[in-house]
């Protein structure tokens, strides 16, 4: 592992992270307040965005493994393996969304975001990037609440 410690997220990283919540928030509101005939589009847009973010969270682990000085270590191989799991689950959620409706699949994405955070809480300290966990928590909280709120908005 790299012995250097990564500093707290920069102001730019925070701004981009919080800015990335805008589609979650707008689409969740749309699920509640847009006309019902828009719900399939809003739901799939929210599902697609959530799936994209989940894939991004997995990709971070590839970046961590690539900077690992012991790149062939068992730890790095596990991190690489985990890195593809969010993308695969998100892809399955997209397929479920097409067949069973986006609302059901949004619950899967909300849960996946929390699983990603739980893994990050264990992995980030090994790579000395635990300073990013408070930001990750806030982003996960808002994104997952928006997915659940959007699903409920479409099911009402």
């Amino acid at each position: 592992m790299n012995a250097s410690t990564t500093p707290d997220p920069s102001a730019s990283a925070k701004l981009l992270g919080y800015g990335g919540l805008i589609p979650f928030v707008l689409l969740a509101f749309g699920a509640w307040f847009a006309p019902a005939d828009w719900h399939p589009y809003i739901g799939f847009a929210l599902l697609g965005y959530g799936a994209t973010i989940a894939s991004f969270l997995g990709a971070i682990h590839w970046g961590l493994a690539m900077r690992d000085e012991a790149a062939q270590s068992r730890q790095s191989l596990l991190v690489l393996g985990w890195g593809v799991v969010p993308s695969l689950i998100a892809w399955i959620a997209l397929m479920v969304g097409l067949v069973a409706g986006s609302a059901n699949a949004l619950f899967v994405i909300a849960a996946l975001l929390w699983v990603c955070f739980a893994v990050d809480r264990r992995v980030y300290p090994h790579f000395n990037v635990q300073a990013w966990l408070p930001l990750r928590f806030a982003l996960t909280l808002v994104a997952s609440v928006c997915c659940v709120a959007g699903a409920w908005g479409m099911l009402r």
Side-chain angles (χ1 to χ4, degrees):
M1 310 271 163
N2 193 333
S4 67
T5 301
T6 302
D8 290 343
S10 66
S12 296
K14 290 177 182 177
L15 182 64
L16 289 167
Y18 289 122
L21 293 174
I22 293 170
F24 281 113
V25 172
L26 292 177
L27 291 165
F29 273 103
W32 280 90
F33 300 111
D37 57 333
W38 290 19
H39 285 181
Y41 306 106
I42 291 169
F44 197 72
L46 182 54
L47 177 60
Y49 189 66
T52 300
I53 294 302
S55 292
F56 173 81
L57 294 174
I60 289 171
H61 290 262
W62 275 58
L64 291 173
M66 288 189 310
R67 66 177 238 177
D68 188 1
E69 293 170 359
Q72 295 301 313
S73 71
R74 183 175 184 271
Q75 171 78 24
S76 286
L77 294 175
L78 290 172
V79 170
L80 286 170
W82 164 254
V84 300
V85 171
S87 296
L88 293 172
I89 294 172
W91 173 67
I92 291 168
L94 285 168
M95 298 303 104
V96 168
L98 287 173
V99 175
S102 296
N104 295 320
L106 281 167
F107 292 118
V108 173
I109 294 295
L112 176 58
L113 293 173
W114 282 108
V115 169
C116 288
F117 180 75
V119 170
D120 291 352
R121 281 191 58 201
R122 294 195 51 105
V123 171
Y124 279 23
H126 293 288
F127 290 94
N128 296 312
V129 292
Q130 63 271 19
W132 287 75
L133 288 171
L135 177 62
R136 280 279 293 110
F137 175 79
L139 297 175
T140 297
L141 178 64
V142 175
S144 63
V145 165
C146 287
C147 287
V148 170
W152 284 341
M154 288 184 292
L155 292 173
R156 63 181 169 85

